[in-house]
Amino acid sequence: MSTAPAPGPRDSKPSPSDRPKPKPALIFDDPLDQQSSDDTDRGWGERAPAGGSAADLARFLDEKPPHHI
């Protein structure tokens, strides 16, 4: 008769991925103190400044009203 432990699952420590994730802490800051995407030019669909006269001309032609043909 053998005294070796039987093969199979052993009592092991749970890995960090098995542990439940802690809930995020509640934040009681004023949300109006933070800048939203609507507060930026990019949030309104503006392009980042590319610089150069060719980029300026392309933007002018793209944004020219139809009555300025």
Side-chain angles (χ1 to χ4, degrees):
M1 189 170 238
S2 169
T3 58
R10 298 185 183 247
D11 294 318
S12 62
K13 295 180 182 176
S15 66
S17 62
D18 293 341
R19 293 181 188 156
K21 295 181 181 178
K23 293 182 180 180
L26 293 176
I27 300 172
F28 293 101
D29 292 339
D30 186 5
L32 299 178
D33 287 342
Q34 301 171 4
Q35 185 179 32
S36 70
S37 64
D38 289 346
D39 293 335
T40 63
D41 291 338
R42 177 164 268 173
W44 283 87
E46 295 288 326
R47 297 182 209 156
S53 60
D56 291 340
L57 177 61
R59 181 175 178 179
F60 170 75
L61 294 174
D62 286 344
E63 295 180 2
K64 184 171 52 168
H67 61 276
H68 284 239
I69 296 178

